[in-house]
mmCIF file with all atom_site columns, all heavy atoms in Angstrom:
data_model
loop_
_atom_site.group_PDB
_atom_site.id
_atom_site.type_symbol
_atom_site.label_atom_id
_atom_site.label_alt_id
_atom_site.label_comp_id
_atom_site.label_asym_id
_atom_site.label_entity_id
_atom_site.label_seq_id
_atom_site.pdbx_PDB_ins_code
_atom_site.Cartn_x
_atom_site.Cartn_y
_atom_site.Cartn_z
_atom_site.occupancy
_atom_site.B_iso_or_equiv
_atom_site.pdbx_formal_charge
_atom_site.auth_seq_id
_atom_site.auth_comp_id
_atom_site.auth_asym_id
_atom_site.auth_atom_id
_atom_site.pdbx_PDB_model_num
ATOM 1   N N   . ALA A 1 89  ? 17.707 24.594 11.607 1.00 0.00 ? 89  ALA A N   1
ATOM 2   C CA  . ALA A 1 89  ? 17.026 24.548 10.301 1.00 0.00 ? 89  ALA A CA  1
ATOM 3   C C   . ALA A 1 89  ? 16.989 25.935 9.676  1.00 0.00 ? 89  ALA A C   1
ATOM 4   O O   . ALA A 1 89  ? 17.256 26.100 8.471  1.00 0.00 ? 89  ALA A O   1
ATOM 5   C CB  . ALA A 1 89  ? 15.599 24.017 10.491 1.00 0.00 ? 89  ALA A CB  1
ATOM 6   N N   . ILE A 1 90  ? 16.682 26.940 10.479 1.00 0.00 ? 90  ILE A N   1
ATOM 7   C CA  . ILE A 1 90  ? 16.541 28.323 9.955  1.00 0.00 ? 90  ILE A CA  1
ATOM 8   C C   . ILE A 1 90  ? 17.905 28.872 9.534  1.00 0.00 ? 90  ILE A C   1
ATOM 9   O O   . ILE A 1 90  ? 18.060 29.388 8.416  1.00 0.00 ? 90  ILE A O   1
ATOM 10  C CB  . ILE A 1 90  ? 15.822 29.220 10.996 1.00 0.00 ? 90  ILE A CB  1
ATOM 11  C CG1 . ILE A 1 90  ? 14.353 28.757 11.106 1.00 0.00 ? 90  ILE A CG1 1
ATOM 12  C CG2 . ILE A 1 90  ? 15.904 30.686 10.618 1.00 0.00 ? 90  ILE A CG2 1
ATOM 13  C CD1 . ILE A 1 90  ? 13.629 29.225 12.355 1.00 0.00 ? 90  ILE A CD1 1
ATOM 14  N N   . SER A 1 91  ? 18.915 28.740 10.392 1.00 0.00 ? 91  SER A N   1
ATOM 15  C CA  . SER A 1 91  ? 20.225 29.283 10.010 1.00 0.00 ? 91  SER A CA  1
ATOM 16  C C   . SER A 1 91  ? 20.826 28.484 8.866  1.00 0.00 ? 91  SER A C   1
ATOM 17  O O   . SER A 1 91  ? 21.535 29.057 8.011  1.00 0.00 ? 91  SER A O   1
ATOM 18  C CB  . SER A 1 91  ? 21.169 29.389 11.207 1.00 0.00 ? 91  SER A CB  1
ATOM 19  O OG  . SER A 1 91  ? 21.095 28.266 12.013 1.00 0.00 ? 91  SER A OG  1
ATOM 20  N N   . GLY A 1 92  ? 20.546 27.180 8.793  1.00 0.00 ? 92  GLY A N   1
ATOM 21  C CA  . GLY A 1 92  ? 21.027 26.364 7.661  1.00 0.00 ? 92  GLY A CA  1
ATOM 22  C C   . GLY A 1 92  ? 20.397 26.816 6.361  1.00 0.00 ? 92  GLY A C   1
ATOM 23  O O   . GLY A 1 92  ? 21.062 26.907 5.320  1.00 0.00 ? 92  GLY A O   1
ATOM 24  N N   . MET A 1 93  ? 19.088 27.131 6.419  1.00 0.00 ? 93  MET A N   1
ATOM 25  C CA  . MET A 1 93  ? 18.377 27.616 5.232  1.00 0.00 ? 93  MET A CA  1
ATOM 26  C C   . MET A 1 93  ? 18.969 28.965 4.782  1.00 0.00 ? 93  MET A C   1
ATOM 27  O O   . MET A 1 93  ? 19.238 29.175 3.607  1.00 0.00 ? 93  MET A O   1
ATOM 28  C CB  . MET A 1 93  ? 16.882 27.712 5.543  1.00 0.00 ? 93  MET A CB  1
ATOM 29  C CG  . MET A 1 93  ? 15.973 28.255 4.484  1.00 0.00 ? 93  MET A CG  1
ATOM 30  S SD  . MET A 1 93  ? 15.826 30.046 4.509  1.00 0.00 ? 93  MET A SD  1
ATOM 31  C CE  . MET A 1 93  ? 14.882 30.329 6.008  1.00 0.00 ? 93  MET A CE  1
ATOM 32  N N   . TYR A 1 94  ? 19.196 29.867 5.733  1.00 0.00 ? 94  TYR A N   1
ATOM 33  C CA  . TYR A 1 94  ? 19.792 31.185 5.378  1.00 0.00 ? 94  TYR A CA  1
ATOM 34  C C   . TYR A 1 94  ? 21.164 30.961 4.724  1.00 0.00 ? 94  TYR A C   1
ATOM 35  O O   . TYR A 1 94  ? 21.479 31.550 3.695  1.00 0.00 ? 94  TYR A O   1
ATOM 36  C CB  . TYR A 1 94  ? 20.034 32.019 6.646  1.00 0.00 ? 94  TYR A CB  1
ATOM 37  C CG  . TYR A 1 94  ? 18.823 32.567 7.374  1.00 0.00 ? 94  TYR A CG  1
ATOM 38  C CD1 . TYR A 1 94  ? 18.935 32.972 8.705  1.00 0.00 ? 94  TYR A CD1 1
ATOM 39  C CD2 . TYR A 1 94  ? 17.581 32.736 6.741  1.00 0.00 ? 94  TYR A CD2 1
ATOM 40  C CE1 . TYR A 1 94  ? 17.859 33.510 9.404  1.00 0.00 ? 94  TYR A CE1 1
ATOM 41  C CE2 . TYR A 1 94  ? 16.496 33.261 7.433  1.00 0.00 ? 94  TYR A CE2 1
ATOM 42  C CZ  . TYR A 1 94  ? 16.637 33.629 8.772  1.00 0.00 ? 94  TYR A CZ  1
ATOM 43  O OH  . TYR A 1 94  ? 15.588 34.157 9.454  1.00 0.00 ? 94  TYR A OH  1
ATOM 44  N N   . MET A 1 95  ? 21.961 30.118 5.367  1.00 0.00 ? 95  MET A N   1
ATOM 45  C CA  . MET A 1 95  ? 23.343 29.890 4.899  1.00 0.00 ? 95  MET A CA  1
ATOM 46  C C   . MET A 1 95  ? 23.341 29.292 3.486  1.00 0.00 ? 95  MET A C   1
ATOM 47  O O   . MET A 1 95  ? 24.153 29.657 2.646  1.00 0.00 ? 95  MET A O   1
ATOM 48  C CB  . MET A 1 95  ? 24.040 28.952 5.877  1.00 0.00 ? 95  MET A CB  1
ATOM 49  C CG  . MET A 1 95  ? 25.510 28.805 5.660  1.00 0.00 ? 95  MET A CG  1
ATOM 50  S SD  . MET A 1 95  ? 26.388 30.316 6.094  1.00 0.00 ? 95  MET A SD  1
ATOM 51  C CE  . MET A 1 95  ? 27.052 29.837 7.659  1.00 0.00 ? 95  MET A CE  1
ATOM 52  N N   . ALA A 1 96  ? 22.414 28.385 3.222  1.00 0.00 ? 96  ALA A N   1
ATOM 53  C CA  . ALA A 1 96  ? 22.368 27.715 1.925  1.00 0.00 ? 96  ALA A CA  1
ATOM 54  C C   . ALA A 1 96  ? 21.943 28.669 0.795  1.00 0.00 ? 96  ALA A C   1
ATOM 55  O O   . ALA A 1 96  ? 22.405 28.550 -0.327 1.00 0.00 ? 96  ALA A O   1
ATOM 56  C CB  . ALA A 1 96  ? 21.422 26.512 1.973  1.00 0.00 ? 96  ALA A CB  1
ATOM 57  N N   . LEU A 1 97  ? 21.030 29.607 1.123  1.00 0.00 ? 97  LEU A N   1
ATOM 58  C CA  . LEU A 1 97  ? 20.387 30.369 0.036  1.00 0.00 ? 97  LEU A CA  1
ATOM 59  C C   . LEU A 1 97  ? 20.847 31.800 -0.107 1.00 0.00 ? 97  LEU A C   1
ATOM 60  O O   . LEU A 1 97  ? 20.621 32.411 -1.151 1.00 0.00 ? 97  LEU A O   1
ATOM 61  C CB  . LEU A 1 97  ? 18.861 30.346 0.242  1.00 0.00 ? 97  LEU A CB  1
ATOM 62  C CG  . LEU A 1 97  ? 18.215 28.961 0.384  1.00 0.00 ? 97  LEU A CG  1
ATOM 63  C CD1 . LEU A 1 97  ? 16.724 29.103 0.609  1.00 0.00 ? 97  LEU A CD1 1
ATOM 64  C CD2 . LEU A 1 97  ? 18.477 28.104 -0.855 1.00 0.00 ? 97  LEU A CD2 1
ATOM 65  N N   . LEU A 1 98  ? 21.464 32.379 0.932  1.00 0.00 ? 98  LEU A N   1
ATOM 66  C CA  . LEU A 1 98  ? 21.837 33.806 0.861  1.00 0.00 ? 98  LEU A CA  1
ATOM 67  C C   . LEU A 1 98  ? 23.296 33.990 0.528  1.00 0.00 ? 98  LEU A C   1
ATOM 68  O O   . LEU A 1 98  ? 24.168 33.262 1.024  1.00 0.00 ? 98  LEU A O   1
ATOM 69  C CB  . LEU A 1 98  ? 21.523 34.483 2.191  1.00 0.00 ? 98  LEU A CB  1
ATOM 70  C CG  . LEU A 1 98  ? 20.048 34.636 2.563  1.00 0.00 ? 98  LEU A CG  1
ATOM 71  C CD1 . LEU A 1 98  ? 19.900 35.033 4.027  1.00 0.00 ? 98  LEU A CD1 1
ATOM 72  C CD2 . LEU A 1 98  ? 19.355 35.652 1.664  1.00 0.00 ? 98  LEU A CD2 1
ATOM 73  N N   . SER A 1 99  ? 23.597 34.968 -0.326 1.00 0.00 ? 99  SER A N   1
ATOM 74  C CA  . SER A 1 99  ? 24.978 35.341 -0.653 1.00 0.00 ? 99  SER A CA  1
ATOM 75  C C   . SER A 1 99  ? 25.175 36.813 -0.321 1.00 0.00 ? 99  SER A C   1
ATOM 76  O O   . SER A 1 99  ? 24.194 37.556 -0.169 1.00 0.00 ? 99  SER A O   1
ATOM 77  C CB  . SER A 1 99  ? 25.260 35.138 -2.126 1.00 0.00 ? 99  SER A CB  1
ATOM 78  O OG  . SER A 1 99  ? 24.921 33.834 -2.515 1.00 0.00 ? 99  SER A OG  1
ATOM 79  N N   . LYS A 1 100 ? 26.426 37.212 -0.281 1.00 0.00 ? 100 LYS A N   1
ATOM 80  C CA  . LYS A 1 100 ? 26.791 38.621 -0.046 1.00 0.00 ? 100 LYS A CA  1
ATOM 81  C C   . LYS A 1 100 ? 25.998 39.529 -0.970 1.00 0.00 ? 100 LYS A C   1
ATOM 82  O O   . LYS A 1 100 ? 25.900 39.270 -2.172 1.00 0.00 ? 100 LYS A O   1
ATOM 83  C CB  . LYS A 1 100 ? 28.293 38.753 -0.342 1.00 0.00 ? 100 LYS A CB  1
ATOM 84  C CG  . LYS A 1 100 ? 28.893 40.085 0.000  1.00 0.00 ? 100 LYS A CG  1
ATOM 85  C CD  . LYS A 1 100 ? 30.390 39.978 -0.202 1.00 0.00 ? 100 LYS A CD  1
ATOM 86  C CE  . LYS A 1 100 ? 30.998 41.357 -0.296 1.00 0.00 ? 100 LYS A CE  1
ATOM 87  N NZ  . LYS A 1 100 ? 32.402 41.258 -0.683 1.00 0.00 ? 100 LYS A NZ  1
ATOM 88  N N   . GLY A 1 101 ? 25.399 40.577 -0.401 1.00 0.00 ? 101 GLY A N   1
ATOM 89  C CA  . GLY A 1 101 ? 24.634 41.529 -1.222 1.00 0.00 ? 101 GLY A CA  1
ATOM 90  C C   . GLY A 1 101 ? 23.164 41.191 -1.362 1.00 0.00 ? 101 GLY A C   1
ATOM 91  O O   . GLY A 1 101 ? 22.400 41.983 -1.901 1.00 0.00 ? 101 GLY A O   1
ATOM 92  N N   . ASP A 1 102 ? 22.752 40.013 -0.863 1.00 0.00 ? 102 ASP A N   1
ATOM 93  C CA  . ASP A 1 102 ? 21.332 39.636 -0.943 1.00 0.00 ? 102 ASP A CA  1
ATOM 94  C C   . ASP A 1 102 ? 20.535 40.319 0.162  1.00 0.00 ? 102 ASP A C   1
ATOM 95  O O   . ASP A 1 102 ? 21.080 40.713 1.194  1.00 0.00 ? 102 ASP A O   1
ATOM 96  C CB  . ASP A 1 102 ? 21.167 38.115 -0.793 1.00 0.00 ? 102 ASP A CB  1
ATOM 97  C CG  . ASP A 1 102 ? 21.536 37.357 -2.060 1.00 0.00 ? 102 ASP A CG  1
ATOM 98  O OD1 . ASP A 1 102 ? 21.630 38.001 -3.131 1.00 0.00 ? 102 ASP A OD1 1
ATOM 99  O OD2 . ASP A 1 102 ? 21.746 36.126 -1.981 1.00 0.00 ? 102 ASP A OD2 1
ATOM 100 N N   . HIS A 1 103 ? 19.225 40.363 -0.066 1.00 0.00 ? 103 HIS A N   1
ATOM 101 C CA  . HIS A 1 103 ? 18.304 40.954 0.908  1.00 0.00 ? 103 HIS A CA  1
ATOM 102 C C   . HIS A 1 103 ? 17.240 39.926 1.244  1.00 0.00 ? 103 HIS A C   1
ATOM 103 O O   . HIS A 1 103 ? 16.798 39.180 0.374  1.00 0.00 ? 103 HIS A O   1
ATOM 104 C CB  . HIS A 1 103 ? 17.667 42.207 0.280  1.00 0.00 ? 103 HIS A CB  1
ATOM 105 C CG  . HIS A 1 103 ? 16.539 42.785 1.082  1.00 0.00 ? 103 HIS A CG  1
ATOM 106 N ND1 . HIS A 1 103 ? 15.229 42.783 0.631  1.00 0.00 ? 103 HIS A ND1 1
ATOM 107 C CD2 . HIS A 1 103 ? 16.534 43.392 2.287  1.00 0.00 ? 103 HIS A CD2 1
ATOM 108 C CE1 . HIS A 1 103 ? 14.470 43.374 1.547  1.00 0.00 ? 103 HIS A CE1 1
ATOM 109 N NE2 . HIS A 1 103 ? 15.228 43.771 2.555  1.00 0.00 ? 103 HIS A NE2 1
ATOM 110 N N   . ILE A 1 104 ? 16.851 39.854 2.516  1.00 0.00 ? 104 ILE A N   1
ATOM 111 C CA  . ILE A 1 104 ? 15.759 38.964 2.927  1.00 0.00 ? 104 ILE A CA  1
ATOM 112 C C   . ILE A 1 104 ? 14.662 39.792 3.576  1.00 0.00 ? 104 ILE A C   1
ATOM 113 O O   . ILE A 1 104 ? 14.925 40.689 4.381  1.00 0.00 ? 104 ILE A O   1
ATOM 114 C CB  . ILE A 1 104 ? 16.275 37.806 3.845  1.00 0.00 ? 104 ILE A CB  1
ATOM 115 C CG1 . ILE A 1 104 ? 15.089 37.032 4.464  1.00 0.00 ? 104 ILE A CG1 1
ATOM 116 C CG2 . ILE A 1 104 ? 17.220 38.269 4.931  1.00 0.00 ? 104 ILE A CG2 1
ATOM 117 C CD1 . ILE A 1 104 ? 15.492 35.735 5.140  1.00 0.00 ? 104 ILE A CD1 1
ATOM 118 N N   . LEU A 1 105 ? 13.439 39.493 3.166  1.00 0.00 ? 105 LEU A N   1
ATOM 119 C CA  . LEU A 1 105 ? 12.257 40.182 3.690  1.00 0.00 ? 105 LEU A CA  1
ATOM 120 C C   . LEU A 1 105 ? 11.510 39.194 4.581  1.00 0.00 ? 105 LEU A C   1
ATOM 121 O O   . LEU A 1 105 ? 11.318 38.033 4.205  1.00 0.00 ? 105 LEU A O   1
ATOM 122 C CB  . LEU A 1 105 ? 11.395 40.590 2.494  1.00 0.00 ? 105 LEU A CB  1
ATOM 123 C CG  . LEU A 1 105 ? 10.193 41.479 2.719  1.00 0.00 ? 105 LEU A CG  1
ATOM 124 C CD1 . LEU A 1 105 ? 10.607 42.823 3.331  1.00 0.00 ? 105 LEU A CD1 1
ATOM 125 C CD2 . LEU A 1 105 ? 9.457  41.734 1.411  1.00 0.00 ? 105 LEU A CD2 1
ATOM 126 N N   . SER A 1 106 ? 11.096 39.667 5.777  1.00 0.00 ? 106 SER A N   1
ATOM 127 C CA  . SER A 1 106 ? 10.504 38.710 6.713  1.00 0.00 ? 106 SER A CA  1
ATOM 128 C C   . SER A 1 106 ? 9.437  39.364 7.601  1.00 0.00 ? 106 SER A C   1
ATOM 129 O O   . SER A 1 106 ? 9.312  40.580 7.655  1.00 0.00 ? 106 SER A O   1
ATOM 130 C CB  . SER A 1 106 ? 11.614 38.109 7.573  1.00 0.00 ? 106 SER A CB  1
ATOM 131 O OG  . SER A 1 106 ? 11.114 37.108 8.401  1.00 0.00 ? 106 SER A OG  1
ATOM 132 N N   . THR A 1 107 ? 8.684  38.501 8.279  1.00 0.00 ? 107 THR A N   1
ATOM 133 C CA  . THR A 1 107 ? 7.625  38.925 9.203  1.00 0.00 ? 107 THR A CA  1
ATOM 134 C C   . THR A 1 107 ? 8.244  39.622 10.425 1.00 0.00 ? 107 THR A C   1
ATOM 135 O O   . THR A 1 107 ? 9.196  39.100 11.004 1.00 0.00 ? 107 THR A O   1
ATOM 136 C CB  . THR A 1 107 ? 6.835  37.692 9.684  1.00 0.00 ? 107 THR A CB  1
ATOM 137 O OG1 . THR A 1 107 ? 6.418  36.924 8.542  1.00 0.00 ? 107 THR A OG1 1
ATOM 138 C CG2 . THR A 1 107 ? 5.622  38.070 10.507 1.00 0.00 ? 107 THR A CG2 1
ATOM 139 N N   . ALA A 1 108 ? 7.687  40.767 10.827 1.00 0.00 ? 108 ALA A N   1
ATOM 140 C CA  . ALA A 1 108 ? 8.250  41.528 11.948 1.00 0.00 ? 108 ALA A CA  1
ATOM 141 C C   . ALA A 1 108 ? 8.297  40.686 13.228 1.00 0.00 ? 108 ALA A C   1
ATOM 142 O O   . ALA A 1 108 ? 9.288  40.657 13.934 1.00 0.00 ? 108 ALA A O   1
ATOM 143 C CB  . ALA A 1 108 ? 7.444  42.792 12.184 1.00 0.00 ? 108 ALA A CB  1
ATOM 144 N N   . SER A 1 109 ? 7.219  39.967 13.519 1.00 0.00 ? 109 SER A N   1
ATOM 145 C CA  . SER A 1 109 ? 7.241  39.197 14.758 1.00 0.00 ? 109 SER A CA  1
ATOM 146 C C   . SER A 1 109 ? 7.575  37.730 14.489 1.00 0.00 ? 109 SER A C   1
ATOM 147 O O   . SER A 1 109 ? 7.009  36.828 15.081 1.00 0.00 ? 109 SER A O   1
ATOM 148 C CB  . SER A 1 109 ? 5.905  39.319 15.487 1.00 0.00 ? 109 SER A CB  1
ATOM 149 O OG  . SER A 1 109 ? 4.871  38.876 14.671 1.00 0.00 ? 109 SER A OG  1
#
Side-chain angles (χ1 to χ4, degrees):
I90 291 162
S91 42
M93 177 273 290
Y94 290 160
M95 189 70 103
L97 305 179
L98 292 167
S99 307
K100 187 174 162 188
D102 283 344
H103 171 247
I104 170 168
L105 187 61
S106 186
T107 309
S109 59

